[in-house]
Amino acid sequence: MTITITAFEHSPDRGKGLARDMRVRWALEEVGLPYDVRHVSFKAMREPAHLRLQPFGQIPTYEEGDLALFESGAIVFHIAERHAGLLPEDANARAHAIAWMFAALNTIEPPIFDRALARILERNEPWYEQRLHALEISIRKRLDDLSRRLGDADWLDGAFSAGDLLMVTVLLRLKGSDILDDHPNLSAYVARGEARPAYKRAFAAQLAVFTAASAG
Amino acid sequence: MTITITAFEHSPDRGKGLARDMRVRWALEEVGLPYDVRHVSFKAMREPAHLRLQPFGQIPTYEEGDLALFESGAIVFHIAERHAGLLPEDANARAHAIAWMFAALNTIEPPIFDRALARILERNEPWYEQRLHALEISIRKRLDDLSRRLGDADWLDGAFSAGDLLMVTVLLRLKGSDILDDHPNLSAYVARGEARPAYKRAFAAQLAVFTAASAG
């Protein structure tokens, strides 16, 4: 059954792989599933056909036969649950990996995403520096905890899992910032994620969309 | 096997049921599982014993035999996966319910939680009014979409699920605000959640902790 996902027609990050389709591409590459991509414009994302698939007018979506899904976390979980490679078989280890999936999306991503938004939307506000500082303090608090927990392990809980996949995509938004670089074990963790062949294939696929659109 | 969760020793919301242990209590009540609660002080939350259970020094945690879990979303999912009542049996319907779990925690909760935090921490900042306004615009955008999708249905996708449970707990933070009241179907949805016997039992249990602590 063909899998079709949606992604931005014009990548807002110019192919840096920060849009949420990257997580789904990476998960599909890890388990070796081929997929098609439908590119949607910002205008089309608010039209009824897309809103039926994605109630909040976002990407990615996932279609496979009569199943239509939204939310990158749920899509990655759906893939991980059905194909070997992203969730351990042992019940407790599997539950831990799922806890890291939720931690990535509900505990670590929100302040990191807020910072990214503030850097775009609030840059000219008089309070910008102070607000950015406050956001960086909350991110650092989380990363201190995450860094302590990771220690010198390769991955958060045993073998690479969907929890690591989501955590790496969330931390990638901080790549090149002091916030991440001040935690060398987290920088190395992100680099380990990026070095995976499945990550590289997914990254190249989303970059090719941007390159083609720019050339067109 | 005894289930033990953690909750705040001193409820910051004075027993309003907004802390994240409420989701876990509610899920346990829905499926009819008894549980013990260990109350932790803000000081104890940063101590090694708690950080081993919860790397970010938060509540709730979940212990059952040799399994220890954190992240309210992951705990609710763990309960829902093992006991009837919170996830449909049909595979596609189950995937939809999981998508709503992630939507509640990764799409709807972040701006709502940011607003709650801003109202406490940023009230005296020069940017407060403007920032609150910006946050309310993003929340309203999400709620417009959610309200349109819910329509006149009782629950987000067929029968009540763990997706509704998480979504109701997230929306409850807006109870009494214009932001929620401007969407009568969402107010009614939240009220339907609160009217469930399992919700009422969970709410009473967390309120009793606050009442006892206040009397003590």
Side-chain angles (χ1 to χ4, degrees):
Chain A
M1 215 142 39
T2 308
I3 292 169
T4 304
I5 69 167
T6 49
F8 289 126
E9 185 177 81
H10 295 283
S11 155
D13 69 8
R14 307 178 59 83
K16 282 191 194 151
L18 300 177
R20 288 179 169 103
D21 58 296
M22 182 63 200
R23 301 165 180 182
V24 174
R25 292 175 186 269
W26 185 6
L28 289 165
E29 293 286 355
E30 287 284 348
V31 304
L33 284 175
Y35 60 98
D36 287 344
V37 184
R38 192 169 65 247
H39 300 109
V40 289
S41 66
F42 292 109
K43 182 165 170 285
M45 286 168 67
R46 296 300 312 170
E47 285 168 2
H50 189 73
L51 288 170
R52 267 194 298 277
L53 281 175
Q54 215 304 349
F56 306 104
Q58 301 172 321
I59 58 96
T61 57
Y62 176 99
E63 292 160 272
E64 185 186 6
D66 61 355
L67 173 65
L69 274 185
F70 64 102
E71 284 289 330
S72 56
I75 298 170
V76 168
F77 179 72
H78 177 80
I79 297 163
E81 211 179 9
R82 277 158 191 75
H83 304 275
L86 289 172
L87 284 175
E89 283 187 26
D90 172 76
N92 284 5
R94 181 176 177 277
H96 292 164
I98 295 170
W100 284 113
M101 293 181 71
F102 280 98
L105 300 183
N106 201 219
T107 296
I108 306 293
E109 183 168 49
I112 293 178
F113 196 73
D114 276 359
R115 174 176 174 272
L117 271 191
R119 281 160 57 106
I120 298 166
L121 303 178
E122 298 177 34
R123 189 169 279 278
N124 296 317
E125 301 292 355
W127 63 71
Y128 177 65
E129 293 300 331
Q130 201 178 335
R131 164 115 169 97
L132 199 66
H133 182 67
L135 275 170
E136 295 189 349
I137 287 173
S138 24
I139 298 171
R140 280 177 186 277
K141 216 177 106 188
R142 297 286 186 235
L143 295 202
D144 287 348
D145 287 337
L146 185 66
S147 170
R148 186 180 347 92
R149 173 56 71 108
L150 178 65
D152 56 8
D154 278 357
W155 307 112
L156 287 165
D157 197 286
F160 176 81
S161 78
D164 294 299
L165 186 152
L166 291 178
M167 191 66 83
V168 167
T169 60
V170 162
L171 294 177
L172 268 166
R173 246 182 221 291
L174 298 175
K175 197 177 160 178
S177 73
D178 290 349
I179 314 179
L180 186 64
D181 293 346
D182 285 349
H183 298 92
N185 68 335
L186 294 183
S187 298
Y189 171 72
V190 169
R192 253 186 313 275
E194 292 178 291
R196 292 178 73 84
Y199 177 91
K200 289 185 182 173
R201 288 192 296 272
F203 186 87
Q206 63 81 38
L207 179 59
V209 179
F210 172 72
T211 309
S214 306
Chain B
M1 214 141 40
T2 309
I3 292 169
T4 304
I5 68 167
T6 49
F8 289 125
E9 185 177 82
H10 295 284
S11 155
D13 69 6
R14 306 178 59 83
K16 281 189 193 152
L18 300 178
R20 289 182 169 101
D21 59 295
M22 181 63 199
R23 301 165 179 181
V24 173
R25 292 174 185 270
W26 186 6
L28 289 165
E29 292 287 354
E30 287 284 349
V31 303
L33 284 176
Y35 61 98
D36 287 344
V37 184
R38 192 170 66 247
H39 300 107
V40 288
S41 65
F42 290 110
K43 183 165 168 288
M45 286 166 69
R46 296 300 312 171
E47 286 168 0
H50 190 73
L51 288 172
R52 267 194 296 277
L53 280 174
Q54 215 303 350
F56 306 103
Q58 301 172 321
I59 61 95
T61 58
Y62 176 99
E63 291 159 274
E64 185 186 8
D66 61 356
L67 173 67
L69 274 185
F70 65 102
E71 284 288 330
S72 57
I75 299 171
V76 168
F77 179 71
H78 177 80
I79 297 163
E81 210 179 12
R82 277 158 190 75
H83 303 275
L86 289 172
L87 284 175
E89 283 185 29
D90 172 77
N92 284 4
R94 181 175 176 279
H96 292 165
I98 294 171
W100 284 113
M101 293 181 70
F102 280 98
L105 301 183
N106 201 220
T107 296
I108 306 293
E109 183 167 50
I112 293 179
F113 195 73
D114 275 358
R115 175 176 174 271
L117 271 193
R119 280 160 56 107
I120 297 167
L121 303 178
E122 299 177 32
R123 192 168 278 280
N124 297 316
E125 300 292 354
W127 62 70
Y128 179 64
E129 291 302 329
Q130 204 176 334
R131 162 118 168 98
L132 199 67
H133 182 67
L135 275 170
E136 295 189 349
I137 287 176
S138 15
I139 299 171
R140 280 177 187 278
K141 217 176 105 188
R142 297 286 186 235
L143 295 201
D144 288 347
D145 287 335
L146 186 65
S147 170
R148 186 181 346 94
R149 173 57 70 106
L150 178 65
D152 57 7
D154 278 357
W155 306 112
L156 286 166
D157 196 286
F160 176 81
S161 78
D164 295 300
L165 186 151
L166 291 178
M167 191 65 84
V168 167
T169 60
V170 162
L171 295 177
L172 268 166
R173 246 180 222 290
L174 298 175
K175 198 177 159 178
S177 72
D178 290 349
I179 312 179
L180 186 64
D181 293 346
D182 286 349
H183 298 92
N185 69 334
L186 294 182
S187 298
Y189 171 70
V190 169
R192 255 188 311 277
E194 292 179 291
R196 292 179 72 87
Y199 177 92
K200 289 186 181 171
R201 288 192 297 272
F203 185 87
Q206 63 79 38
L207 180 59
V209 179
F210 172 72
T211 310
S214 308

Short mmCIF file of all heavy atoms in Angstrom, two decimals, chain B residues 99-142:
data_model
loop_
_atom_site.label_atom_id
_atom_site.label_comp_id
_atom_site.label_asym_id
_atom_site.label_seq_id
_atom_site.Cartn_x
_atom_site.Cartn_y
_atom_site.Cartn_z
N ALA B 99 -3.46 10.07 17.52
CA ALA B 99 -3.17 11.37 16.89
C ALA B 99 -3.74 12.51 17.75
O ALA B 99 -3.09 13.53 17.94
CB ALA B 99 -3.73 11.42 15.47
N TRP B 100 -4.94 12.32 18.29
CA TRP B 100 -5.52 13.36 19.16
C TRP B 100 -4.76 13.49 20.47
O TRP B 100 -4.68 14.60 21.04
CB TRP B 100 -7.01 13.11 19.39
CG TRP B 100 -7.82 13.49 18.19
CD1 TRP B 100 -8.51 12.67 17.36
CD2 TRP B 100 -7.97 14.82 17.64
NE1 TRP B 100 -9.09 13.38 16.34
CE2 TRP B 100 -8.78 14.70 16.49
CE3 TRP B 100 -7.50 16.08 18.01
CZ2 TRP B 100 -9.14 15.81 15.71
CZ3 TRP B 100 -7.86 17.19 17.23
CH2 TRP B 100 -8.66 17.04 16.11
N MET B 101 -4.18 12.41 20.97
CA MET B 101 -3.33 12.52 22.16
C MET B 101 -2.15 13.44 21.88
O MET B 101 -1.84 14.35 22.66
CB MET B 101 -2.78 11.14 22.58
CG MET B 101 -3.83 10.16 23.08
SD MET B 101 -3.07 8.56 23.59
CE MET B 101 -2.20 9.06 25.08
N PHE B 102 -1.47 13.19 20.75
CA PHE B 102 -0.33 14.04 20.41
C PHE B 102 -0.77 15.47 20.08
O PHE B 102 -0.08 16.43 20.42
CB PHE B 102 0.47 13.43 19.24
CG PHE B 102 1.39 12.32 19.66
CD1 PHE B 102 1.02 10.99 19.54
CD2 PHE B 102 2.64 12.60 20.22
CE1 PHE B 102 1.88 9.95 19.93
CE2 PHE B 102 3.51 11.58 20.62
CZ PHE B 102 3.12 10.25 20.48
N ALA B 103 -1.93 15.61 19.42
CA ALA B 103 -2.42 16.96 19.11
C ALA B 103 -2.67 17.74 20.40
O ALA B 103 -2.34 18.93 20.50
CB ALA B 103 -3.70 16.88 18.27
N ALA B 104 -3.26 17.08 21.39
CA ALA B 104 -3.54 17.76 22.67
C ALA B 104 -2.23 18.27 23.28
O ALA B 104 -2.15 19.41 23.73
CB ALA B 104 -4.25 16.81 23.63
N LEU B 105 -1.19 17.43 23.27
CA LEU B 105 0.04 17.76 24.00
C LEU B 105 1.05 18.55 23.19
O LEU B 105 1.83 19.31 23.76
CB LEU B 105 0.69 16.46 24.51
CG LEU B 105 -0.18 15.62 25.45
CD1 LEU B 105 0.59 14.42 25.95
CD2 LEU B 105 -0.68 16.46 26.63
N ASN B 106 1.06 18.38 21.88
CA ASN B 106 2.10 19.06 21.09
C ASN B 106 1.57 20.25 20.29
O ASN B 106 2.34 21.13 19.92
CB ASN B 106 2.77 18.02 20.16
CG ASN B 106 4.16 18.45 19.67
OD1 ASN B 106 4.51 18.24 18.50
ND2 ASN B 106 4.96 19.08 20.51
N THR B 107 0.25 20.30 20.03
CA THR B 107 -0.30 21.42 19.24
C THR B 107 -1.14 22.36 20.10
O THR B 107 -1.04 23.57 19.97
CB THR B 107 -1.14 20.87 18.06
OG1 THR B 107 -0.26 20.14 17.18
CG2 THR B 107 -1.81 21.98 17.28
N ILE B 108 -1.97 21.81 20.98
CA ILE B 108 -2.89 22.66 21.75
C ILE B 108 -2.30 23.10 23.09
O ILE B 108 -2.45 24.24 23.50
CB ILE B 108 -4.24 21.93 21.99
CG1 ILE B 108 -4.84 21.44 20.66
CG2 ILE B 108 -5.24 22.85 22.70
CD1 ILE B 108 -5.27 22.53 19.72
N GLU B 109 -1.63 22.20 23.79
CA GLU B 109 -1.15 22.57 25.13
C GLU B 109 -0.06 23.65 25.14
O GLU B 109 -0.12 24.55 25.99
CB GLU B 109 -0.63 21.34 25.90
CG GLU B 109 -0.20 21.69 27.32
CD GLU B 109 0.03 20.47 28.20
OE1 GLU B 109 0.74 19.55 27.78
OE2 GLU B 109 -0.53 20.43 29.31
N PRO B 110 0.94 23.62 24.23
CA PRO B 110 2.02 24.60 24.39
C PRO B 110 1.58 26.06 24.51
O PRO B 110 1.97 26.72 25.47
CB PRO B 110 2.93 24.32 23.19
CG PRO B 110 2.75 22.83 22.96
CD PRO B 110 1.27 22.61 23.20
N PRO B 111 0.74 26.59 23.59
CA PRO B 111 0.39 28.00 23.78
C PRO B 111 -0.50 28.24 25.02
O PRO B 111 -0.42 29.29 25.65
CB PRO B 111 -0.36 28.38 22.48
CG PRO B 111 -0.82 27.08 21.90
CD PRO B 111 0.20 26.05 22.31
N ILE B 112 -1.32 27.24 25.38
CA ILE B 112 -2.18 27.39 26.57
C ILE B 112 -1.33 27.39 27.83
O ILE B 112 -1.54 28.18 28.75
CB ILE B 112 -3.25 26.27 26.61
CG1 ILE B 112 -4.24 26.45 25.45
CG2 ILE B 112 -3.98 26.25 27.96
CD1 ILE B 112 -5.33 25.38 25.37
N PHE B 113 -0.33 26.53 27.86
CA PHE B 113 0.55 26.48 29.03
C PHE B 113 1.41 27.75 29.10
O PHE B 113 1.62 28.31 30.18
CB PHE B 113 1.43 25.22 28.97
CG PHE B 113 2.09 24.90 30.27
CD1 PHE B 113 1.35 24.39 31.33
CD2 PHE B 113 3.44 25.14 30.47
CE1 PHE B 113 1.95 24.11 32.55
CE2 PHE B 113 4.05 24.87 31.69
CZ PHE B 113 3.31 24.35 32.73
N ASP B 114 1.88 28.20 27.94
CA ASP B 114 2.66 29.46 27.88
C ASP B 114 1.86 30.61 28.45
O ASP B 114 2.39 31.47 29.16
CB ASP B 114 2.99 29.81 26.42
CG ASP B 114 4.24 29.12 25.93
OD1 ASP B 114 4.88 28.39 26.72
OD2 ASP B 114 4.58 29.31 24.75
N ARG B 115 0.57 30.66 28.10
CA ARG B 115 -0.29 31.74 28.60
C ARG B 115 -0.38 31.67 30.13
O ARG B 115 -0.26 32.68 30.83
CB ARG B 115 -1.68 31.65 27.98
CG ARG B 115 -2.68 32.66 28.55
CD ARG B 115 -4.01 32.55 27.79
NE ARG B 115 -5.04 33.39 28.38
CZ ARG B 115 -5.87 33.01 29.35
NH1 ARG B 115 -5.76 31.79 29.86
NH2 ARG B 115 -6.78 33.84 29.83
N ALA B 116 -0.59 30.45 30.65
CA ALA B 116 -0.69 30.29 32.10
C ALA B 116 0.61 30.73 32.78
O ALA B 116 0.59 31.44 33.79
CB ALA B 116 -1.02 28.83 32.44
N LEU B 117 1.74 30.33 32.20
CA LEU B 117 3.04 30.72 32.77
C LEU B 117 3.25 32.23 32.68
O LEU B 117 3.71 32.85 33.65
CB LEU B 117 4.18 30.04 31.99
CG LEU B 117 4.65 28.68 32.44
CD1 LEU B 117 5.96 28.34 31.75
CD2 LEU B 117 4.84 28.60 33.96
N ALA B 118 2.92 32.81 31.52
CA ALA B 118 3.11 34.25 31.34
C ALA B 118 2.29 35.04 32.36
O ALA B 118 2.76 36.04 32.90
CB ALA B 118 2.72 34.66 29.91
N ARG B 119 1.08 34.54 32.64
CA ARG B 119 0.21 35.24 33.60
C ARG B 119 0.80 35.21 35.01
O ARG B 119 0.47 36.06 35.84
CB ARG B 119 -1.20 34.64 33.58
CG ARG B 119 -2.02 35.18 32.39
CD ARG B 119 -3.19 34.29 32.04
NE ARG B 119 -4.08 34.05 33.13
CZ ARG B 119 -5.30 34.58 33.26
NH1 ARG B 119 -5.75 35.42 32.35
NH2 ARG B 119 -6.06 34.28 34.28
N ILE B 120 1.66 34.24 35.28
CA ILE B 120 2.31 34.19 36.60
C ILE B 120 3.66 34.92 36.56
O ILE B 120 3.95 35.78 37.38
CB ILE B 120 2.54 32.71 37.02
CG1 ILE B 120 1.19 31.99 37.15
CG2 ILE B 120 3.31 32.63 38.34
CD1 ILE B 120 1.32 30.47 37.25
N LEU B 121 4.48 34.57 35.55
CA LEU B 121 5.88 35.01 35.59
C LEU B 121 6.16 36.33 34.89
O LEU B 121 7.18 36.96 35.14
CB LEU B 121 6.78 33.93 34.95
CG LEU B 121 6.71 32.53 35.55
CD1 LEU B 121 7.61 31.57 34.78
CD2 LEU B 121 7.11 32.56 37.03
N GLU B 122 5.28 36.73 33.96
CA GLU B 122 5.63 37.90 33.14
C GLU B 122 4.71 39.09 33.41
O GLU B 122 4.77 40.10 32.70
CB GLU B 122 5.62 37.51 31.65
CG GLU B 122 6.64 36.42 31.34
CD GLU B 122 6.63 35.95 29.89
OE1 GLU B 122 6.35 36.75 28.98
OE2 GLU B 122 6.89 34.74 29.66
N ARG B 123 3.88 38.97 34.43
CA ARG B 123 2.87 39.99 34.70
C ARG B 123 3.47 41.39 34.85
O ARG B 123 2.83 42.38 34.50
CB ARG B 123 2.09 39.58 35.97
CG ARG B 123 0.83 40.35 36.23
CD ARG B 123 -0.01 39.69 37.32
NE ARG B 123 -0.83 38.59 36.83
CZ ARG B 123 -1.98 38.74 36.20
NH1 ARG B 123 -2.48 39.94 35.97
NH2 ARG B 123 -2.66 37.68 35.80
N ASN B 124 4.68 41.48 35.39
CA ASN B 124 5.27 42.80 35.61
C ASN B 124 6.31 43.18 34.55
O ASN B 124 7.01 44.17 34.69
CB ASN B 124 5.92 42.85 37.00
CG ASN B 124 4.85 42.66 38.08
OD1 ASN B 124 3.77 43.24 37.99
ND2 ASN B 124 5.14 41.82 39.07
N GLU B 125 6.38 42.36 33.49
CA GLU B 125 7.34 42.67 32.44
C GLU B 125 6.75 43.73 31.50
O GLU B 125 5.54 43.80 31.31
CB GLU B 125 7.67 41.42 31.62
CG GLU B 125 8.27 40.27 32.42
CD GLU B 125 9.68 40.57 32.94
OE1 GLU B 125 10.24 41.63 32.59
OE2 GLU B 125 10.21 39.73 33.72
N PRO B 126 7.63 44.52 30.88
CA PRO B 126 7.15 45.59 29.98
C PRO B 126 6.35 45.04 28.79
O PRO B 126 5.51 45.73 28.23
CB PRO B 126 8.44 46.27 29.51
CG PRO B 126 9.56 45.33 29.83
CD PRO B 126 9.10 44.54 31.01
N TRP B 127 6.61 43.79 28.43
CA TRP B 127 5.96 43.23 27.25
C TRP B 127 4.67 42.48 27.57
O TRP B 127 4.05 41.92 26.69
CB TRP B 127 6.93 42.29 26.56
CG TRP B 127 7.34 41.11 27.41
CD1 TRP B 127 6.56 40.05 27.77
CD2 TRP B 127 8.62 40.86 28.00
NE1 TRP B 127 7.27 39.16 28.55
CE2 TRP B 127 8.54 39.63 28.70
CE3 TRP B 127 9.84 41.54 27.99
CZ2 TRP B 127 9.63 39.09 29.40
CZ3 TRP B 127 10.90 40.99 28.68
CH2 TRP B 127 10.80 39.79 29.38
N TYR B 128 4.26 42.48 28.85
CA TYR B 128 3.21 41.56 29.28
C TYR B 128 1.93 41.63 28.44
O TYR B 128 1.47 40.62 27.92
CB TYR B 128 2.89 41.76 30.76
CG TYR B 128 1.79 40.85 31.26
CD1 TYR B 128 1.97 39.46 31.27
CD2 TYR B 128 0.56 41.36 31.69
CE1 TYR B 128 0.97 38.63 31.71
CE2 TYR B 128 -0.44 40.53 32.13
CZ TYR B 128 -0.25 39.16 32.14
OH TYR B 128 -1.24 38.34 32.58
N GLU B 129 1.34 42.85 28.29
CA GLU B 129 0.05 42.94 27.59
C GLU B 129 0.16 42.47 26.14
O GLU B 129 -0.68 41.72 25.65
CB GLU B 129 -0.48 44.39 27.60
CG GLU B 129 -0.91 44.88 28.99
CD GLU B 129 -2.00 44.02 29.64
OE1 GLU B 129 -2.83 43.43 28.90
OE2 GLU B 129 -2.01 43.92 30.89
N GLN B 130 1.22 42.92 25.50
CA GLN B 130 1.40 42.57 24.08
C GLN B 130 1.65 41.07 23.91
O GLN B 130 1.14 40.43 22.99
CB GLN B 130 2.57 43.38 23.53
CG GLN B 130 2.49 43.56 22.02
CD GLN B 130 3.61 44.46 21.50
OE1 GLN B 130 4.11 45.30 22.24
NE2 GLN B 130 3.98 44.27 20.24
N ARG B 131 2.43 40.52 24.84
CA ARG B 131 2.74 39.09 24.77
C ARG B 131 1.49 38.25 25.04
O ARG B 131 1.23 37.26 24.36
CB ARG B 131 3.83 38.77 25.79
CG ARG B 131 3.97 37.32 26.14
CD ARG B 131 5.33 36.78 25.75
NE ARG B 131 5.51 35.47 26.38
CZ ARG B 131 5.29 34.33 25.74
NH1 ARG B 131 4.96 34.33 24.47
NH2 ARG B 131 5.45 33.19 26.36
N LEU B 132 0.70 38.67 26.02
CA LEU B 132 -0.54 37.95 26.33
C LEU B 132 -1.47 37.97 25.12
O LEU B 132 -2.07 36.96 24.76
CB LEU B 132 -1.22 38.61 27.53
CG LEU B 132 -2.25 37.76 28.26
CD1 LEU B 132 -1.59 36.57 28.94
CD2 LEU B 132 -3.01 38.59 29.30
N HIS B 133 -1.55 39.13 24.49
CA HIS B 133 -2.40 39.27 23.32
C HIS B 133 -1.93 38.33 22.19
O HIS B 133 -2.75 37.63 21.58
CB HIS B 133 -2.37 40.73 22.85
CG HIS B 133 -3.26 41.00 21.67
ND1 HIS B 133 -4.64 40.92 21.75
CD2 HIS B 133 -2.97 41.31 20.38
CE1 HIS B 133 -5.15 41.18 20.55
NE2 HIS B 133 -4.16 41.41 19.72
N ALA B 134 -0.62 38.28 21.96
CA ALA B 134 -0.08 37.41 20.92
C ALA B 134 -0.38 35.94 21.23
O ALA B 134 -0.77 35.17 20.35
CB ALA B 134 1.42 37.62 20.77
N LEU B 135 -0.23 35.58 22.50
CA LEU B 135 -0.51 34.20 22.89
C LEU B 135 -1.98 33.87 22.69
O LEU B 135 -2.33 32.78 22.23
CB LEU B 135 -0.15 33.99 24.36
CG LEU B 135 1.32 33.65 24.62
CD1 LEU B 135 1.60 33.70 26.12
CD2 LEU B 135 1.64 32.26 24.08
N GLU B 136 -2.84 34.83 23.04
CA GLU B 136 -4.28 34.56 22.90
C GLU B 136 -4.67 34.42 21.44
O GLU B 136 -5.53 33.62 21.10
CB GLU B 136 -5.09 35.62 23.65
CG GLU B 136 -4.79 35.49 25.16
CD GLU B 136 -5.66 36.33 26.10
OE1 GLU B 136 -6.39 37.20 25.61
OE2 GLU B 136 -5.59 36.07 27.33
N ILE B 137 -4.00 35.16 20.57
CA ILE B 137 -4.27 35.00 19.14
C ILE B 137 -3.88 33.59 18.68
O ILE B 137 -4.64 32.93 17.97
CB ILE B 137 -3.50 36.07 18.32
CG1 ILE B 137 -4.15 37.44 18.52
CG2 ILE B 137 -3.48 35.71 16.83
CD1 ILE B 137 -3.42 38.59 17.85
N SER B 138 -2.73 33.10 19.13
CA SER B 138 -2.36 31.74 18.67
C SER B 138 -3.27 30.68 19.26
O SER B 138 -3.60 29.70 18.60
CB SER B 138 -0.90 31.36 18.91
OG SER B 138 -0.26 32.18 19.79
N ILE B 139 -3.69 30.88 20.52
CA ILE B 139 -4.62 29.90 21.10
C ILE B 139 -5.94 29.92 20.34
O ILE B 139 -6.49 28.87 19.99
CB ILE B 139 -4.86 30.19 22.60
CG1 ILE B 139 -3.53 30.08 23.38
CG2 ILE B 139 -5.90 29.24 23.17
CD1 ILE B 139 -3.62 30.56 24.81
N ARG B 140 -6.46 31.13 20.06
CA ARG B 140 -7.73 31.22 19.35
C ARG B 140 -7.67 30.57 17.98
O ARG B 140 -8.64 29.95 17.53
CB ARG B 140 -8.16 32.69 19.21
CG ARG B 140 -8.79 33.26 20.47
CD ARG B 140 -9.15 34.73 20.31
NE ARG B 140 -9.59 35.29 21.57
CZ ARG B 140 -10.82 35.17 22.06
NH1 ARG B 140 -11.75 34.51 21.37
NH2 ARG B 140 -11.14 35.69 23.22
N LYS B 141 -6.56 30.72 17.31
CA LYS B 141 -6.39 30.11 15.99
C LYS B 141 -6.53 28.58 16.10
O LYS B 141 -7.25 27.95 15.33
CB LYS B 141 -4.99 30.46 15.45
CG LYS B 141 -4.92 30.70 13.98
CD LYS B 141 -3.51 31.14 13.56
CE LYS B 141 -2.78 30.02 12.87
NZ LYS B 141 -1.36 30.27 12.60
N ARG B 142 -5.88 28.02 17.11
CA ARG B 142 -5.96 26.57 17.31
C ARG B 142 -7.38 26.16 17.69
O ARG B 142 -7.90 25.13 17.23
CB ARG B 142 -5.03 26.12 18.43
CG ARG B 142 -3.57 26.36 18.16
CD ARG B 142 -3.06 25.36 17.16
NE ARG B 142 -1.61 25.47 16.99
CZ ARG B 142 -1.01 25.67 15.82
NH1 ARG B 142 -1.72 25.75 14.71
NH2 ARG B 142 0.30 25.74 15.74
#
